Amino acid sequence: MGECCPPMDLFRSEPMQLVQIIIPIESAHLTVSYLGDLGLLQFKDLNAEKSPFQRTYAAQIKRSAEMARKLRFFKDQMLKANLPSSKSKRQVDVNVDNLEVKLGEFEAELIEINSNSEKLQRSYNELIEYKLVLEKAGEFFHSAQSSAALQQRENESRHIGDESLDTPLLLEQEASTDPSKQVKLGFLTGLVPRGKSLAFERILFRATRGNVFLRQAVVENPVTDPVSGEKVEKNVFVVFYSGERAKNKILKICEAFGANRYSFPEDLGRQAQMITEVSGRISELKTTIDIGLLHQGSLLQNIGEHFEHWNLLVRKEKSIYHHLNMLSLDVTKKCLVAEGWSPIFASKQIQDALQRAAFDSNSQVGAIFQVLHTQEAPPTYFRTNKFTSSFQEIVEAYGVAKYQEANPAVYTIVTFPFLFAVMFGDWGHGICLLLATLYLIGREKKLSSQKLGDIMEMAFGGRYVILLMAIFSIYTGLIYNEFFSVPFELFGSSAYACRDLSCRDATTAGLIKVRPTYPFGLDPVWHGSRSELPFLNSLKMKMSILLGVVQMNLGIIISFFNARFFRSGVNVWFQFIPQIIFLNSLFGYLSVLIVMKWWTGSKADLYHVMIYMFLSPTDELGENQLFSGQRTVQLVLLLLAFVSVPWMLFPKPFILKKQHQDRHQGQSYALLENTEESLQVNSNHDAHGHGEFEFSEVFVHQMIHTIEFVLGAVSNTASYLRLWALSLAHSELSSVFYDKVLLLAWGFNNVIILIVGIIVFICATVGVLLLMETLSAFLHALRLHWVEFQNKFYEGDGYKFYPFSFALLDDEDE
């Protein structure tokens, strides 16, 4: 944006304007392209009533989508071939029309190569299986033939030895047997998946009622199935049957079990010949397949060198035509009319882009740029950088600020990591978090160009948030004086000592002050069990209330400046002031008492003071009195708190009704000097400035707001006690891991146990305290900002500014 951009203002969104651009058709494509390079204009859809197929450039979008499909096809092929796309050093500018032809040629060639490769690969896999069948089934037949020959020799030798007078008769009887009554056996061979082999055998037996003979042999290595192309463990089978009926049943069973069948010659000589022929064909096919893969790899490598450039070009083209479809044709059908939102500071840059587009396209007429006046609420645009963008996203996860509304992200930059640190305070854990964050920041350029996992992506995106969280955690850890739950005398010796040896590990009654007050943070002596309620816990609890009251007051003050900005005097006097009075009459007063008790060292019971302020406001305070005139002050504050409730409820609806009546009678008006002021005033009065004024609706709405604020003041203050609870939980967990794991392992005086104890301590610290506790404290800090802080002033009902920008195309999903 260069020199034309004013300084970045994160507190208020950028002033916006609605612009109209009239573009000659011959320069429309180039104009939208230049505006996409600029990235400062959000187009409005002027053809919302038309379907995508009825728009002017539907054919061009379809063409771009087809080219994108081809590029996705190329990407899938490169992933299958393990060929990542790489940017070529020299990128030749290519015309979209030429690119379309080139992509079509590449796709046709790749499809043909893949088709031939699939056919060759299937034939190759079939021949591999056929060779296995020839080898394994050949072993069956060779073994059976050897056994038959051996048995025949044994029978002949036995027959000669047992010869008698009856032998010729038997031979004659055998010779006279009818040849037509002899049974002829057939057989089938093939491969069946090993996981189905038992079921295959069982079904064959049942279907043929046991009239089959099955032999199987295990194939040692998985083979590639010709049909599925997957590696499968298989068995070679030979099944003998009798009759055509049995054969048909076996064929159907083979088909059902996915068993591939292959022919097998009965002649042993023919078997050896077939094995030789199949081996030769396998070798030839292997050579052919390798040549095809080399050609495919060369083609994909050529595509990969230009893929990123082509992909970006197609996505730009599609995006350009998508936005051109938002433009409307004028009555002469020679110009396109565009409307859109842009920051006011971008006017000069947009006009320069329009002039360049007209010059580069040789257009005889330039585009016309003009600002429109409108009552429509503009989009919200905050200019952020890599540091502030994460905090802005935290706020916008709750809701986008409406136009010119105060941006909570400004305060969140400080308050969010600080409230996190209040719950996470331990300077040992903070250093670990800081080192991890510095690693992410140090490798920022490299990691930003890589695809990270979901969790790592979130951590890297919020690295600057985590950086401040770590720094603030070190700060609060030094205040708590906790290093992995262990106190250190970093800033000098403790101010307290025991009177005698009997007071060690006892209550605070045995301690006396012997030195000046500890200069920074908590005195180490207040850790552990030296008091029935450790001072650190009391400090954290009271500090949680103080922080909550301060942040809620900050929210109300911001709402005051919001009301001043939008010129809403009603909100100032009948919302801001009574809210401040109510909140501080009760909880502001409690905060003052907490500070005074710390300052004076008083033993007053603040619970008793606050409870009896309501139950018995006129009673004497006795030993709970912190200053003179305290009872009178409490009566005044209590009266103000009760008065502030009807003050919030009743006046505002009547004043709004009176203003509405005066406006419609012409007794009040506003002079609109410029577009920005017009937008502000109109957005403020849209709710009640037009149409009928529903007094009952406004009154009920105000009553709901009043009840919500009164109850919310109590519940929100109590909600801030989560700062104390989470901090206590973090401290206690850290103490348990230190005492029950590390110190316990140290006490055994065994090296192995000590090493195991250190490993367990590190794993528990990283897994529980640095990951789970970090996430827990993050979520609670998020809730305190979204609910307790932002509900005082932040409406979050706006919509975000999404300019047409080619720089955002990389993040879009096809």
Side-chain angles (χ1 to χ4, degrees), residues 53 265 320 343 421 470 495 590 641 658 802:
F53 304 102
I320 288 170
L590 174 60
K658 181 69 166 56
Y802 286 107

Side-chain angles (χ1 to χ4, degrees), residues 626-641:
L626 287 167
F627 58 91
S628 59
Q630 183 176 351
R631 186 179 63 173
T632 305
V633 171
Q634 290 185 176
L635 286 171
V636 173
L637 292 176
L638 194 61
L639 179 62
L640 287 174

Side-chain angles (χ1 to χ4, degrees), residues 384-502:
T384 58
N385 52 38
K386 63 182 180 180
F387 179 80
T388 59
S389 60
S390 300
F391 295 97
Q392 190 65 49
E393 288 175 4
I394 288 175
V395 172
E396 290 179 354
Y398 175 83
V400 178
K402 71 178 182 180
Y403 180 65
Q404 293 282 285
E405 184 180 9
N407 186 12
V410 178
Y411 312 97
T412 302
I413 293 173
V414 176
T415 59
F416 184 85
F418 180 71
L419 291 186
F420 169 88
V422 171
M423 295 178 277
F424 193 77
D426 186 302
W427 61 279
H429 297 152
I431 289 174
C432 294
L433 208 58
L434 179 63
L435 293 176
T437 311
L438 291 177
Y439 170 80
L440 294 177
I441 294 175
R443 297 175 62 87
E444 186 175 89
K445 290 185 178 179
K446 184 176 181 180
L447 293 175
S448 61
S449 61
Q450 296 178 356
K451 286 189 176 180
L452 308 173
D454 292 340
I455 296 177
M456 190 64 182
E457 188 73 36
M458 287 190 293
F460 179 73
R463 57 195 179 279
Y464 290 104
V465 177
I466 303 174
L467 175 66
L468 290 187
M469 286 160 49
I471 293 173
F472 277 102
S473 296
I474 295 173
Y475 170 72
T476 54
L478 291 172
I479 292 178
Y480 297 160
N481 199 352
E482 288 190 349
F483 179 83
F484 295 100
S485 80
V486 180
F488 281 84
E489 296 183 346
L490 293 177
F491 303 99
S493 301
S494 172
Y496 297 88
C498 291
R499 294 174 184 170
D500 49 50
L501 296 178
S502 62

Side-chain angles (χ1 to χ4, degrees), residues 212-409:
V212 292
F213 178 71
L214 176 69
R215 291 291 301 272
Q216 296 192 59
V218 175
V219 178
E220 291 78 9
N221 300 318
V223 295
T224 305
D225 187 80
V227 178
S228 64
E230 298 178 354
K231 290 280 187 180
V232 183
E233 293 182 337
K234 292 190 175 185
N235 291 351
V236 174
F237 69 88
V238 179
V239 56
F240 295 89
Y241 60 88
S242 173
E244 286 297 321
R245 186 174 180 184
K247 179 182 179 180
N248 293 332
K249 290 182 179 179
I250 295 170
L251 290 175
K252 291 180 180 178
I253 293 171
C254 289
E255 185 178 353
F257 278 84
N260 299 328
R261 295 175 290 103
Y262 297 95
S263 61
F264 186 84
E266 298 183 23
D267 184 20
L268 291 178
R270 179 60 180 159
Q271 292 174 15
Q273 182 182 355
M274 288 292 295
I275 291 176
T276 304
E277 291 178 3
V278 169
S279 298
R281 291 176 61 191
I282 287 175
S283 178
E284 292 174 1
L285 276 176
K286 180 65 175 172
T287 304
T288 307
I289 290 172
D290 290 341
I291 293 173
L293 290 175
L294 285 174
H295 180 51
Q296 183 191 43
S298 175
L299 181 62
L300 289 175
Q301 189 172 4
N302 183 27
I303 294 173
E305 291 178 355
H306 305 281
F307 180 82
E308 295 295 338
H309 177 64
W310 292 347
N311 189 41
L312 182 60
L313 182 62
V314 170
R315 295 174 79 176
K316 281 185 175 181
E317 193 73 9
K318 185 177 179 181
S319 183
I320 288 170
Y321 283 115
H322 172 73
H323 285 82
L324 281 172
N325 271 338
M326 294 183 178
L327 278 56
S328 63
L329 278 169
D330 71 336
V331 291
T332 63
K333 295 188 177 181
K334 294 181 179 180
C335 294
L336 289 171
V337 179
E339 290 184 10
W341 294 100
S342 73
I344 291 178
F345 72 80
S347 298
K348 181 69 167 57
Q349 294 164 273
I350 293 174
Q351 292 178 33
D352 290 343
L354 297 177
Q355 291 176 3
R356 283 190 292 112
F359 178 79
D360 293 344
S361 62
N362 297 320
S363 176
Q364 305 251 341
V365 182
I368 300 173
F369 175 89
Q370 57 185 358
V371 179
L372 301 179
H373 295 274
T374 180
Q375 295 182 359
E376 183 180 351
T380 302
Y381 174 43
F382 293 105
R383 281 186 292 157
T384 58
N385 52 38
K386 63 182 180 180
F387 179 80
T388 59
S389 60
S390 300
F391 295 97
Q392 190 65 49
E393 288 175 4
I394 288 175
V395 172
E396 290 179 354
Y398 175 83
V400 178
K402 71 178 182 180
Y403 180 65
Q404 293 282 285
E405 184 180 9
N407 186 12

Side-chain angles (χ1 to χ4, degrees), residues 571-740:
N571 287 336
V572 173
W573 292 104
F574 299 103
Q575 182 170 319
F576 162 70
I577 292 178
Q579 285 180 355
I580 283 286
I581 291 174
F582 180 84
L583 181 64
N584 291 289
S585 295
L586 303 179
F587 302 106
Y589 174 63
L590 174 60
S591 302
V592 172
L593 293 182
I594 290 173
V595 175
M596 290 189 67
K597 183 177 178 180
W598 283 345
W599 185 265
T600 61
S602 171
K603 301 294 183 181
D605 185 356
L606 299 186
Y607 297 105
H608 184 279
V609 172
M610 294 304 297
I611 290 173
Y612 284 93
M613 177 179 173
F614 290 91
L615 297 181
S616 301
T618 58
D619 290 356
E620 293 293 335
L621 297 174
E623 61 181 7
N624 292 319
Q625 182 168 328
L626 287 167
F627 58 91
S628 59
Q630 183 176 351
R631 186 179 63 173
T632 305
V633 171
Q634 290 185 176
L635 286 171
V636 173
L637 292 176
L638 194 61
L639 179 62
L640 287 174
F642 281 118
V643 169
S644 62
V645 176
W647 191 355
M648 282 186 280
L649 175 60
F650 292 108
K652 185 176 178 179
F654 290 99
I655 293 175
L656 289 175
K657 181 179 181 180
K658 181 69 166 56
Q659 289 181 348
H660 179 82
Q661 292 174 347
D662 293 343
R663 189 178 302 115
H664 280 270
Q665 291 173 4
Q667 296 178 7
S668 64
Y669 62 91
L671 180 62
L672 305 182
E673 297 179 355
N674 53 46
T675 305
E676 181 182 347
E677 183 177 353
S678 171
L679 289 169
Q680 292 169 1
V681 173
N682 282 321
S683 63
N684 183 49
H685 291 294
D686 268 350
H688 307 295
H690 301 281
E692 286 296 324
F693 183 83
E694 296 289 343
F695 178 80
S696 59
E697 181 180 343
V698 174
F699 186 84
V700 170
H701 187 265
Q702 184 64 21
M703 182 172 62
I704 292 172
H705 273 284
T706 303
I707 296 173
E708 183 182 18
F709 178 82
V710 172
L711 297 181
V714 180
S715 64
N716 291 352
T717 305
S719 182
Y720 276 94
L721 290 175
R722 72 183 66 239
L723 297 172
W724 163 51
L726 267 292
S727 177
L728 176 62
H730 183 86
S731 178
E732 289 300 316
L733 277 174
S734 182
S735 179
V736 166
F737 293 150
Y738 177 76
D739 293 337
K740 302 302 181 184

